[in-house]
Structure formats: structure tokens, C-alpha cells
Amino acid sequence: MNTPQDPKNALASPLASRTGSLVHAAVRSRLVWPAVALIALLVTNVVKSPNFLSIRIQDGHLFGSLIDILRNGAPIVLVALGMTLVIATRGIDLSVGAVVAISGAFALSIIGGSDNPNSMGVVLGAVAASLVFALVLGAWNGLLIAVFGIQPIIATLILMTAGRGIAMLITEGQILTVSSAPYKVIGGGYWFALPASIIIAAALFALVAILTRKTALGMLIESVGINPEASRLAGVSSRVIIFMVYTFSAVCAAIAGLMISSNITAADANSAGLWIEMDAILAVVLGGTSLAGGRYSLTGTLIGAFVIQTLTTTVYSIGIAPEITLVFKALVVIAVVLLQAPRTRAGFARLRSRKGPSVPSAPREKAIVR
Amino acid sequence: MDSAVPIVEMTGISISFPGVKALDGVDFRMFPGEVHSLMGENGAGKSTLIKALTGVYPIDAGSILLAGQPLLVTGPADSQRAGISTVYQEVNLLTNLSVAENILLGREPRRFGGIHWKEMRERAAAILHRLHLDIDPGSLLGSHSLAVQQLVAIARALDVNAKVLILDEPTSSLDVDEVAELFRVITALKREGVAILFVSHFLDQVYEIADRLTVLRNGSLVGEYRTKEILRIELVHKMIGKDIAVLTDLDTKTRNAVAETTTTIPYLAAVGLGRKGSIDPLDFAIAEGEVVGLAGLLGSGRTELARILSGIDKPDTGELKIEGRTQRLRTARMALKRRIAYSSEDRKREGIIEDLTVRDNIVLALQADRGWFRRIPRRRQDELAASYISALGIRPANPEALVRNLSGGNQQKVLLARWLAIAPRLLILDEPTRGIDVGAKAEIQRLVSNLAEEGMSVVYISAELEEVLRLSHRIVVMRDRKKVADLENDDVTVGQVMTLIASGADE
Ligand SMILES: Nc1ncnc2c1ncn2[C@@H]1O[C@H](COP(=O)(O)OP(=O)(O)OP(=O)(O)O)[C@@H](O)[C@H]1O
Ligand SMILES: [Mg+2]
């Protein structure tokens, strides 16, 4: 349900749907370029440092560059996960970076202010308080958008700017550093030989994947994103759904914020989660979910997020000068997005049809037909 | 006229989509100064043939000649430059722009490097005047009814001096008067030597305007005929490829249903229901198992009344009782909870969810009612989809096809299936057979009257008066946003209703 299908391949014949092969091919075709980009980046790294792929076990923990990518990518995966559902409803959430900063600051200020920062109870309480705070912030976004009908970009811009102020108030303008062993686990610890952050991100990802598929949530989110008016007339409670996705997005961002602050055992209101909204949006778009809303792909988002994270890692590992890092990142993103564009894909289809059996391209008269 | 040289000559056209051969070696030609109708059932390939001609879809095989020259176009804009002006089946204008902008988009008159707004308004007004459409060119397109939007799309096509004019179901939401205006314009263009391609499921209209017919069935050519030389019954037979006892059967059946008087307890009763700028306060009642036809011209308040009854728009005055209890329906959702469903005339904007599958679209309202958490089990979804696909003859019969890939008529059937799936107590159908072929139309009307016999109340809105009269027990006539008549349908004639629609009866 939540895998993007190419419209022209969607009319699979009964035979194809029996074997499922054609449908699968179609599903993959959208993800093929981000996947290629990911592999290309990994190969680049291997060429640069041949033991890039190697994973060692040390003190019963897994180590290696790949593990680092997964661990450092966990916050982006989480934020992008929430963002995917938001974008599927035709929305956008610019406030995630601010929520990242707030949640880290809030949790650390509670822990730092307690008598015993190393107490498990205090840490759990702080984490819970942060998540509840995020729930409220997300609900605020949801309220502005679903109830007052403010455009998502504007509504979340409010929290994007005000949020860092809130974080600043919490940290009183300082960089909060607190050492707390239990808290450190979230972003820097290990469970079952794996970094805890990877497990947390994977668990939440799996939860969302199951929840959207086993309930009707996925279909209703897509329906609202594709045609809000028709959905309303069909009795879909779009307000509830929109409210939910923004609340969920904030919770995802908060968990990411806990991870980041836990990893560095510090909360910096200014730089925590800076630009993470952009990375998350890029990850979603790279993953083939359209900003116009509707059909979304969680798998795509996952690949997209790792493309972004690997890119960041690669930039360091191949020694690109810091001044041109952003330019390099932008070039890769442009390349993938262009390769995915409908026009390019139609062009490929036509090239193929010259040779093999033809596949008519999708209609090109999107905006206006004359 | 066969000695004349065709302006358009398509030979051996084939197009396939994965799993569907939409066109299979079809020949088609058009002559200057002639109206040529493409006929065929829903999904026969009419719109696809048109899109092949205008380059929207590349062809797999065949050749297209325009005035004897191979035509190489890659899309609507391109084919327009080549002299082919097209109104596609799905009106695809920009509702947030003005009428004038929509008519002249891409051809705006310019001055000093900017748009010459005054000339733009004037030119748009002149074209609208040709269609006798009296609206302000500066008004937002979205503020007008679907019928007006359809006329604006036609006006847009008329603005270019084309050699070939293509109209794919242009009259599907028009009333008799607008159709007459359109036909006047078509006749005038015909005299100027324009070749016109006209698609419609209304046989009356086809017989009135077309000189020549081409019949398609399942993507293949059945034949080309002179309208004068083929009887309706033969034509229908060629289109559906089987006998049409189905059609005549319906008449007797519904007539019987009409004869019976139904229960007198109203299922829904509205007193003084009104909404400013939409409808004047009126009374309306419908009994269980009753079919009430709503007749009236464009803008008479038919759709407005339907939207209020189904909770989409809120009334400012009046009271609504359902089974004797006062109720307030503030949203479509609340109405649906009471099993009141409204099927919009605007299937593209207010109906189908294009990028979801046929199955998702069919179960949508049912699922929305159960809430997001209680997903309808997949097996049940498959059963529902399969049963409506076969009951309504949705083609292709693939529940996993995206609705956007279905032909217009088949999309309409999917929409109907969605409402039928919730087992409504009151079903409000606004132009439910829009774009649906003759065979399927009869099928749907039969379904509606069967359901009414089983106790479902139906409000039936259609510009086709014969259809309304055939199905309804009672007729409510609207004019100028008022209810002007409410009559038992015992031998009411089309003529009588027409008079009421036009002049009203003083109550
Ligand atoms: N983009 C597409 N992708 C896949 N299948 C398509 C696409 N467009 C059309 N089809 C299929 O091609 C067939 C012909 O469709 P077409 O729209 O030409 O029918 P039509 O004769 O215009 O019907 P209607 O009277 O309902 O408008 C249908 O089976 C339809 O499902
Ligand atoms: Mg069509």
C-alpha cells in the first residue's frame, strides 16, 4: 500500500499480480536511483579505504565504518520517518530541528538539575518528560494546520523560529553538559552488541511500517494527501489524521534530539539539529515520495536517509574541503532527483520502447490540457 | 462527400498499456466540414484514440496523417500548433485562476512585455458570448459549477482557429439549453470547414449533430457508418456486441415500481431548510424506498440542496428530521454515519482518489466510517471489490489497477461502488451516469431501482429528464434556487417538467 507505484506499470495483468514480479519491478524502479547512489557512495569509500566494509567485534560490541553510518544516521532516519507521513498528507514540518534542540535541552536540564544524574529513574523521567513536551509541540503544529487551516509551511515555521528560543531559555543560553551514564546509552550505548540508537530507530521504523499497513492509516494518509476534498466527502476524518502526523513527527524529532544530546552528553540550543529538517526532507524526496503528497514509501525514505548520511561521511573520508562540502552534497542530490524526474523516466521509457516492446509513457499533460 | 480528402487519417493505430491492449489496429478518418462521432462502451478506447491523435500517448504501431502529411506531435500544445484543438474528457483547468486566464492561458495578449489584461478580458468575453455564457470573465473559475467549467474548457478550444476540433464528452454535465448553444456553435464551425470529433454517450445528441460514426469495441474497430444510414438499435448492438433486451426490460420494470405507492413515513424530512446564496428555505421529504428526482437547470439549486442534505454544506435556517428525530448534520462524516451518502457530479475533484487502487477507492467510505484503527480485513476488501467490479462491470476487472488509469465511465462506476458499499439508507446521486455508456447506464438504473425496492431512499439528480422520470416516484423541480414544484410521478411528461423548469408553477 505504501510503496510508490509507477502509474503506467500499475495496471498489472492478473498474471503479473499472481507472480508479483511485474509489480515488484515497478516498485523497485522508483527506488533504483537512490539505491544506485547509495551503492556508488559506498564503493567510493571502499576504493578510498579498502577496509571500509569491515566490521570488528571489540568488547562484545560491533565497530566499523558501516556501523558508524547506521548509528550517526539514526537521528535522520527518525526525523525523516515522521516527515514522510507529514509529506504524504501534502504537508511539511520545518520545526523538527527546533524540536530536536528542545528535547535534548529539556531532558538534560532535568537530569542536570536532579540530585543524582546517574539514577535510572531520573533519566527515564527526563526522557518521558521530553517526549510529552514534544507531543505538546507537535499537537500545537497539528492544531494550527488541521483546525485553523494555516498552511503547513507557515505553521511549522513559527515553531522553527520560536523553538530555538525555547531551547535557549531551557539551557539559559549555555551549552548544558551533564554526565549521566544511563542517559549516555540512548545515543552512545550498546544493546546486544549493536549501538542502542540503531535499535531504537529500527524499532520505531518497524512499528510505523506495521502500524500503517496493518491498520488503515497508510491508505487514509495517502487518500488525504492525494485528494483532501474527495476524502472529506468520503467521511475520512482528515483533521484527525493531519493532527496525528504532525504530533508523530515531533515525537520522532524528540527521540532524535535525545540521541544527539546523549551522544555528545551536551545540549546546544543553537546547533543541535541544525539543518536536520532539510536533510530529512531531502531523504524523503530522494526516497521517491512526492512533495505534492499522496503515495509514499517508507523503504524509500530509509534509503534516502542513508544516502544523506553516507554522503556526509564520504565527504570527510575522501577529504573534500569543508568549504565545498555543501556544494558536493547538492550535486549528488540534484543528480538523483533529476534521474527520478518523470520527464527523465519517460525519456528512458521511450528509449527502451525503440528497442524492445513499447511502454507508452504516462500522460504529460499534468497541469493544463489545451 | 466520400470523394473529399480526409483532413485526418489514422491507420492501424495500436496502443497498449501493461496488461491492456487499449487500441488494436484502429483506422479512423475525419473530413473537413463534418462532425464525426466516436462511439463505444466505457473503456472501448475512444479517449485513447484521441490522445494518440494529439500525441499525449505515443503509438506503438500505425500512422497518422494530417492533411496528407505525417503528423508528428508530442503533446497537447504541439498538436494545437498543428491545428488540432482539443477538449479532453476530464476538464483540467486551473480553478484558482480567473475564467479569462483559463481561456487564454498560454496565449495571453501582451503589451509592453506584460499581459494586456483589458484585452484579455474583452477577448474572453467575446468567446463566452459566442457560447451565450453570461459570466464575468474576471471571476474565479473555481466559483462556477462543473457545467460552466466545461463550457469554459470548450471556449478555450474555440479561441484557436483550428482545422480540427476534438470534443471528448463535452456535454456530459450540460443541460439542454447549453447543449443547444454548443450545437449552434458546432454547426457554424462545420460550415467554416472545420472537422469536428464529437464523443458522447447520449445517442440523441449524436444523431442530432453527427454526420458520420466510428464504432469501437474493446479497442478494435467495428466500423464506420453514415449516421443517416444506421438505426439506433443497430448502433447500440454494434457498440455492445450483444442484444439490447436489457434496455427495454428496464422500462417496464421501473414503471412497475413507480406504480406502487410506498410507505408514508418519511425517512428524512426538512422544514424551511435554506442557506444564504445557495438555496431559499424549502421543505423536502423523502420516504423509505422512495426515489425522488430533482429536476432543474444549471444553477437552479439542485446540487446545493443535495450538499446540504448530505451534511457537506451547513444550512443557516430550517430543521432536518431523520426518522422523526431532529438531527444536525454538520459534516459529510456525520451524514455518512447516518448512512446518508452523496455522490458528487464532479468525480475528479470530489470523487475518486486517482492514485489509489480500485479496491482502495471502493472501500474508502466504509473504512473511513470504521475509523483508521479497525482496518477492513484484506479478504473482505477483496470480496467487496470483486463483487462491485462484477455488479457494475468495471473494466479492467483488476482491483489493483490505479483509478487514474481507468476510462472516465469506469471511474464513475468505481465511485458509485464506494457509496453502495456503505449500504446507504439515503443515497443522493448527482449525475450518477455521467460519462457512462448506454448498456451500463441501464444496468445502474436497474440497480438503483432494485435497491429502492429493498428500502433505500434515493435522490436522483440528472440533466437527462427521461432518466429522472423513468426512475422516480416523485419529482421535485427547482428553479432560481427555489423549489417550484413537487409532483407525484404518475404520467408526468418530459414536456410538463420542462415547462415547470423554465417558468415555474406558482404554488
Ligand atoms: N494511462 C493508462 N494506463 C493504463 N491503462 C489505460 C490508460 N489510459 C487508458 N487505459 C485503458 O485503456 C482502455 C481504454 O480507455 P479509454 O479511456 O480510451 O476509454 P473510453 O472509450 O474513452 O471510455 P469512456 O467512455 O469511459 O470514457 C481502458 O481499458 C483503460 O483502462
Ligand atoms: Mg473516454
Side-chain angles (χ1 to χ4, degrees):
Chain A
M1 168 197 315
N2 35 18
T3 36
Q5 272 190 344
D6 188 328
K8 69 186 198 302
N9 281 324
L11 241 174
S13 66
L15 190 129
S17 58
R18 211 177 303 141
T19 63
S21 66
L22 241 186
V23 177
H24 269 116
V27 169
R28 258 183 251 125
S29 73
R30 255 259 171 94
L31 300 181
V32 73
W33 290 115
V36 164
L38 185 56
I39 292 166
L41 286 170
L42 293 175
V43 167
T44 313
N45 280 290
V46 173
V47 168
K48 192 75 190 169
S49 55
N51 58 1
F52 178 80
L53 294 177
S54 72
I55 294 175
R56 299 167 277 123
I57 301 184
Q58 199 176 313
D59 308 332
H61 297 159
L62 293 175
F63 283 96
S65 310
L66 280 185
I67 300 290
D68 285 344
I69 289 179
L70 290 180
R71 190 180 61 185
N72 296 333
I76 295 184
V77 168
L78 284 178
V79 175
L81 181 66
M83 190 71 80
T84 307
L85 301 186
V86 166
I87 286 179
T89 64
R90 283 197 185 177
I92 196 124
D93 187 351
L94 297 181
S95 70
V96 286
V99 175
V100 163
I102 292 175
S103 78
F106 195 54
L108 277 188
S109 74
I110 292 176
I111 295 170
S114 77
D115 303 335
N116 182 7
N118 280 314
S119 134
M120 192 61 166
V122 168
V123 169
L124 287 180
V127 167
S130 275
L131 294 184
V132 170
F133 195 177
L135 216 65
V136 173
L137 294 173
W140 161 260
N141 279 338
L143 186 80
L144 292 184
I145 295 159
V147 180
F148 292 100
I150 299 176
Q151 291 198 356
I153 198 166
I154 304 297
T156 57
L157 195 63
I158 298 173
L159 186 57
M160 180 190 185
T161 36
R164 295 232 172 244
I166 296 173
M168 200 78 88
L169 284 176
I170 296 171
T171 62
E172 293 167 347
Q174 314 274 301
I175 294 181
L176 276 186
T177 44
V178 174
S179 85
S180 157
Y183 189 66
K184 177 77 185 173
V185 172
I186 303 174
Y190 284 83
W191 286 335
F192 317 112
L194 272 175
S197 54
I198 296 181
I199 294 178
I200 294 172
L204 201 65
F205 188 90
L207 184 76
V208 172
I210 291 169
L211 198 69
T212 47
R213 237 168 277 183
K214 292 292 168 204
T215 69
L217 197 57
M219 191 253 274
L220 295 178
I221 286 176
E222 289 186 334
S223 171
V224 168
I226 297 165
N227 191 337
E229 183 63 6
S231 302
R232 186 173 75 88
L233 297 202
V236 178
S237 24
S238 19
R239 282 185 184 179
V240 174
I241 286 176
I242 290 174
F243 187 84
M244 269 167 50
V245 295
Y246 284 94
T247 312
F248 179 69
S249 171
V251 170
C252 286
I255 301 176
L258 296 177
M259 274 178 192
I260 293 172
S261 66
S262 148
N263 194 29
I264 56 171
T265 55
D268 179 349
N270 280 320
S271 68
L274 198 61
W275 302 125
I276 202 169
E277 60 278 342
M278 293 304 154
D279 281 347
I281 294 168
L282 273 179
V284 174
V285 173
L286 283 179
T289 300
S290 157
L291 284 178
R295 297 227 139 196
Y296 66 89
S297 163
L298 294 179
T299 319
T301 296
L302 194 62
I303 298 179
F306 284 123
V307 169
I308 303 276
Q309 185 56 42
T310 314
L311 199 52
T312 311
T313 311
T314 311
V315 163
Y316 293 118
S317 70
I318 63 176
I320 289 178
E323 310 89 73
I324 58 167
T325 311
L326 288 176
V327 176
F328 179 73
K329 250 181 151 176
L331 286 178
V332 174
V333 170
I334 289 171
V336 177
V337 171
L338 279 182
L339 284 169
Q340 276 178 319
R343 286 216 176 203
T344 326
R345 285 148 57 84
F348 278 122
R350 218 163 305 133
L351 270 183
R352 241 179 296 148
S353 73
R354 293 249 171 85
K355 295 178 208 131
S358 93
V359 182
S361 61
R364 267 160 272 134
E365 15 84 77
K366 250 264 124 116
I368 186 158
V369 158
R370 38 196 80 168
Chain B
M1 215 186 274
D2 269 10
S3 57
V5 206
I7 171 107
V8 171
E9 201 163 10
M10 303 173 81
T11 1
I13 305 294
S14 294
I15 289 187
S16 11
F17 301 103
V20 183
K21 188 133 202 181
L23 290 176
D24 188 4
V26 171
D27 300 338
F28 178 71
R29 48 190 196 152
M30 291 173 73
F31 294 92
E34 236 187 52
V35 178
H36 194 143
S37 261
L38 254 181
M39 306 295 295
E41 289 183 282
N42 294 133
K46 304 178 294 293
S47 301
T48 307
L49 189 67
I50 288 169
K51 288 179 182 167
L53 178 55
T54 58
V56 174
Y57 293 144
I59 53 176
D60 298 349
S63 70
I64 306 177
L65 301 181
L66 181 70
Q69 298 297 311
L71 179 69
L72 294 170
V73 289
T74 57
D78 215 17
S79 66
Q80 194 173 27
R81 274 189 291 277
I84 304 174
S85 185
T86 315
V87 178
Y88 292 91
Q89 185 171 6
E90 301 302 335
V91 176
N92 219 345
L93 299 174
L94 303 171
T95 40
N96 53 349
L97 293 185
S98 72
V99 169
E101 284 169 299
N102 268 292
I103 294 178
L104 295 168
L105 197 77
R107 310 186 280 270
E108 300 90 349
R110 295 188 169 270
R111 188 177 57 169
F112 313 131
I115 290 173
H116 192 337
W117 293 103
K118 186 155 170 286
E119 196 192 317
M120 181 140 154
R121 291 262 165 87
E122 285 165 3
R123 222 167 102 190
I127 304 163
L128 291 173
H129 184 71
R130 243 172 109 181
L131 284 167
H132 289 244
L133 186 58
D134 186 22
I135 54 170
D136 174 13
S139 57
L140 271 191
L141 184 74
S143 66
H144 296 288
S145 71
L146 189 67
V148 169
Q149 295 185 18
Q150 199 164 37
L151 287 168
V152 170
I154 295 170
R156 178 175 170 78
L158 292 179
D159 179 58
V160 285
N161 291 319
K163 287 179 281 192
V164 178
L165 176 65
I166 301 177
L167 303 168
D168 194 354
E169 298 195 27
T171 57
S172 62
S173 56
L174 299 188
D175 281 328
V176 206
D177 287 353
E178 286 96 31
V179 174
E181 292 299 345
L182 177 64
F183 281 8
R184 246 186 355 84
V185 175
I186 290 182
T187 314
L189 289 172
K190 204 172 114 168
R191 260 185 238 118
E192 290 167 23
V194 178
I196 294 145
L197 171 50
F198 177 78
V199 179
S200 171
H201 289 292
F202 299 114
L203 292 186
D204 288 347
Q205 294 178 4
V206 169
Y207 272 88
E208 182 181 343
I209 196 84
D211 303 296
R212 197 183 290 268
L213 307 169
T214 288
V215 179
L216 299 179
R217 187 164 72 226
N218 276 331
S220 305
L221 178 71
V222 175
E224 189 203 81
Y225 314 91
R226 300 291 204 100
T227 317
K228 291 197 282 269
E229 293 162 6
I230 185 167
L231 290 174
R232 272 172 203 236
I233 207 141
E234 280 177 85
L235 174 64
V236 173
H237 183 81
K238 292 204 179 335
M239 280 160 56
I240 65 182
K242 56 183 175 226
D243 277 336
I244 48 164
V246 205
L247 300 180
T248 39
D249 185 44
L250 177 80
D251 244 349
T252 45
K253 184 157 172 67
T254 43
R255 275 297 165 194
N256 291 340
V258 168
E260 279 172 38
T261 336
T262 39
T263 46
T264 40
I265 328 146
Y267 169 67
L268 174 145
V271 180
L273 203 64
R275 180 181 154 94
K276 253 204 210 75
S278 170
I279 50 168
D280 288 352
L282 54 77
D283 298 348
F284 181 87
I286 185 166
E288 219 166 77
E290 192 180 25
V291 181
V292 174
L294 269 188
L297 292 178
L298 207 176
S300 61
R302 293 176 306 192
T303 296
E304 288 76 0
L305 175 59
R307 286 175 68 96
I308 292 174
L309 290 178
S310 53
I312 298 164
D313 292 334
K314 278 173 244 162
D316 320 314
T317 60
E319 199 187 43
L320 195 71
K321 281 195 168 142
I322 298 171
E323 294 185 310
R325 301 213 355 236
T326 305
Q327 304 267 5
R328 288 180 64 196
L329 305 175
R330 279 184 299 264
T331 58
R333 191 176 164 73
M334 288 177 72
L336 283 162
K337 281 251 176 265
R338 310 233 147 50
R339 294 280 171 273
I340 298 178
Y342 168 67
S343 176
S344 170
E345 59 175 337
D346 192 348
R347 70 164 164 262
K348 194 180 163 76
R349 288 207 181 80
E350 299 183 346
I352 54 161
I353 315 284
E354 282 198 315
D355 285 325
L356 289 186
T357 62
V358 169
R359 174 173 52 83
D360 285 340
N361 269 277
I362 291 178
V363 303
L364 184 66
L366 199 59
Q367 180 65 68
D369 181 43
R370 286 169 63 116
W372 66 270
F373 194 72
R374 290 173 53 224
R375 190 174 89 121
I376 302 169
R378 178 59 192 260
R379 262 239 321 270
R380 179 87 192 103
Q381 294 190 23
D382 288 337
E383 282 165 19
L384 273 171
S387 72
Y388 284 106
I389 285 173
S390 83
L392 300 177
I394 296 168
R395 267 187 294 161
N398 173 8
E400 303 310 310
L402 293 189
V403 167
R404 67 157 353 113
N405 291 337
L406 264 53
S407 79
N410 282 299
Q411 294 181 355
Q412 183 69 37
K413 294 182 201 168
V414 170
L415 187 58
L416 278 177
R418 176 194 297 166
W419 306 123
L420 294 176
I422 68 162
R425 297 285 308 275
L426 169 60
L427 178 58
I428 304 174
L429 295 168
D430 200 349
E431 303 284 353
T433 55
R434 189 173 152 239
I436 281 187
D437 66 48
V438 262
K441 200 177 267 184
E443 211 59 60
I444 284 167
Q445 291 171 4
R446 191 211 318 280
L447 196 71
V448 166
S449 66
N450 283 349
L451 288 168
E453 259 169 51
E454 288 166 21
M456 183 173 85
S457 312
V458 180
V459 173
Y460 203 93
I461 305 176
S462 171
E464 260 184 292
L465 279 179
E466 291 84 354
E467 190 173 301
V468 175
L469 287 179
R470 179 143 21 107
L471 281 170
S472 315
H473 301 108
R474 205 149 54 78
I475 314 279
V476 169
V477 182
M478 305 277 298
R479 189 167 52 90
D480 288 337
R481 308 180 179 280
K482 290 185 196 58
K483 176 169 130 180
V484 292
D486 189 336
L487 16 127
E488 287 300 321
N489 183 14
D490 34 23
D491 297 319
V492 179
T493 62
V494 171
Q496 281 170 310
V497 179
M498 291 274 250
T499 325
L500 283 172
I501 284 174
S503 56
D506 293 311
E507 283 171 273

